[in-house]
Amino acid sequence: MKVVVIGADGQVGQAVVKAFAERNDQVRGLTHAEIEIVSMESVKAALATLQPDVVVNTAAMHQVENCEAHPDQAYAANSLGARNLALVTRNLGARLIHISTDYVFDGIKGKPYLEEDAPFPLNVYGNTKLAGEYFVRSLNEKHFVLRTSALYGRHPCRGKGGRNFPDLMLQLARERGKVRVVDSEVVSPTSTVELACQIVTLASCDAYGLYHATGEGSCSWYDFARELFTATNTKVDLQVAGPNEFPVKVRRPNYSVLENSGLKRLGLNCFGAWQDALREYLRQSCDEAISNIPANTVQSS
Ligand SMILES: NC(=O)c1ccc[n+]([C@@H]2O[C@H](COP(=O)([O-])OP(=O)(O)OC[C@H]3O[C@@H](n4cnc5c(N)ncnc54)[C@H](OP(=O)(O)O)[C@@H]3O)[C@@H](O)[C@H]2O)c1
């Protein structure tokens, strides 16, 4: 299978390229320097020469405050970019796997969202991603739209320009010994390794459609931090932050837990409990840190 991954140096893109390469698929990653999804000409030129069977789009403008400040740019990347990819992949006869978000919901339901639930985004980011979903679903029949949430993984999220949540929490614990975290937003933490595995699994099947694709279960950011500190045996004074301590400028859903009901119905759900995925991430990070220690720094007596 010939696979093209767009956003190849991003948090999800890097995990997806690795997952396809491990399966010995012919995978080509495209960075922003190599394709501009906002431009139809750029999309046509990049994909026509590669003639892929499957295109995975991880590219987006997804920093929520930035989207709110620049709605035209957000619409161009998240909606028109998705439209361009849907049209070009359709003309090439290729499948399109497109990543969307839990922020298409308003959070009022208070119970895990199913694919059938009506979306109602609260901000520009969510609205532009929802429009992107509709373009993909209506323009290329061979599509998978995967809504995911609260991602973390080995590679930093380029759009948010920093450390992922677990790494940031561990850094704050080390530096300050005291960490305050909000408990007012409930999400399904999702490992990029599991998401990449899900994408690879779907790439060769033809059960096209819209799917929720997140770690199993849910927690507040505070619970996430508590689980992390327990798993790493980190001694830290963890406290719940007050309601106005970290004021958000843009409305977000307070509850955006997704149920992977479509994937479970197909028998193809690749996600385990979020706590297990977090422990696996920590184990791999630890192995990697050990393997990065130069051999000559360890002295035997
Ligand atoms: N991060 C989360 O917690 C989260 C949660 C739910 C859903 N999602 C969705 O998951 C997807 C992947 O997110 P991520 O965390 O992997 O993001 P990321 O690390 O910021 O990666 C996005 C990649 O897309 C590229 N890109 C951005 N705009 C582009 C454009 N117009 N044309 C071509 N390439 C472009 C970026 O390149 P440059 O950096 O060079 O511009 C980067 O390589 C997105 O669709 C996002 O909406 C993310």
Side-chain angles (χ1 to χ4, degrees):
M1 200 160 51
K2 268 201 277 179
V3 183
V4 167
V5 179
I6 298 172
D9 56 358
Q11 176 175 222
V12 174
Q14 295 195 58
V16 173
V17 169
K18 181 166 182 276
F20 277 109
E22 281 170 358
R23 240 181 43 152
N24 292 327
D25 282 312
Q26 203 182 319
V27 58
R28 172 79 155 84
L30 296 177
T31 64
H32 204 164
E34 296 166 297
I35 187 170
E36 172 50 75
I37 62 168
V38 172
S39 154
M40 179 58 109
E41 289 319 304
S42 170
V43 172
K44 275 188 194 157
L47 296 185
T49 44
L50 296 170
Q51 291 289 316
D53 302 303
V54 178
V55 173
V56 182
N57 177 35
T58 74
M61 179 168 160
H62 60 90
Q63 208 275 345
V64 172
E65 285 78 15
N66 197 24
C67 290
E68 210 69 16
H70 305 284
D72 292 354
Q73 287 173 28
Y75 183 72
N78 298 339
S79 314
L80 297 181
R83 173 185 172 273
N84 292 340
L85 288 166
L87 285 170
V88 173
T89 50
R90 180 182 72 189
N91 292 341
L92 294 171
R95 296 167 179 195
L96 176 58
I97 303 179
H98 175 75
I99 310 302
S100 192
T101 173
D102 54 332
Y103 275 26
V104 298
F105 292 113
D106 60 11
I108 291 194
K109 185 177 177 193
K111 284 194 290 185
Y113 283 95
L114 309 178
E115 288 85 349
E116 296 76 26
D117 286 322
F120 194 89
L122 297 177
N123 54 42
V124 168
Y125 170 61
N127 274 295
T128 57
K129 290 292 284 186
L130 182 61
E133 288 187 0
Y134 285 133
F135 278 128
V136 170
R137 293 171 69 187
S138 62
L139 292 173
N140 184 347
E141 192 188 322
K142 295 195 216 168
H143 68 263
F144 292 97
V145 171
L146 302 184
R147 289 182 183 146
T148 192
S149 135
L151 291 166
Y152 65 91
R154 223 184 122 233
H155 306 285
C157 175
R158 285 174 68 85
K160 293 179 185 160
R163 286 178 174 274
N164 64 36
F165 183 79
D167 291 354
L168 176 65
M169 288 299 112
L170 291 173
Q171 183 189 345
L172 290 176
R174 265 195 312 273
E175 289 172 4
R176 301 181 186 173
K178 181 175 170 182
V179 178
R180 295 173 66 79
V181 186
V182 289
D183 72 347
S184 52
E185 207 181 316
V186 178
V187 295
S188 301
T190 304
S191 138
T192 56
V193 172
E194 289 195 341
L195 179 60
C197 171
Q198 188 67 65
I199 290 170
V200 166
T201 301
L202 289 174
S204 51
C205 103
D206 56 7
Y208 303 119
L210 166 70
Y211 294 97
H212 288 178
T214 61
E216 199 61 31
S218 63
C219 62
S220 69
W221 292 108
Y222 171 83
D223 297 330
F224 192 178
R226 192 179 49 189
E227 183 72 21
L228 169 73
F229 293 140
T230 304
T232 51
N233 208 10
T234 302
K235 301 280 171 278
V236 58
D237 179 8
L238 174 66
Q239 296 176 0
V240 177
N244 299 318
E245 213 169 314
F246 300 110
V248 285
K249 295 193 198 98
V250 180
R251 280 181 80 204
R252 297 151 203 261
N254 284 333
Y255 182 95
S256 58
V257 178
L258 306 182
E259 168 67 19
N260 300 350
S261 58
L263 293 172
K264 287 179 187 170
R265 223 177 293 131
L266 286 180
L268 292 178
N269 183 40
C270 292
F271 296 91
W274 69 266
Q275 296 93 330
D276 294 340
L278 175 63
R279 280 177 162 72
E280 180 58 20
Y281 167 74
L282 293 168
R283 196 187 60 71
Q284 284 183 9
S285 305
C286 183
D287 287 352
E288 210 167 276
I290 290 168
S291 68
N292 285 339
I293 300 172
N296 62 4
T297 61
V298 183
Q299 292 183 348
S300 54
S301 54

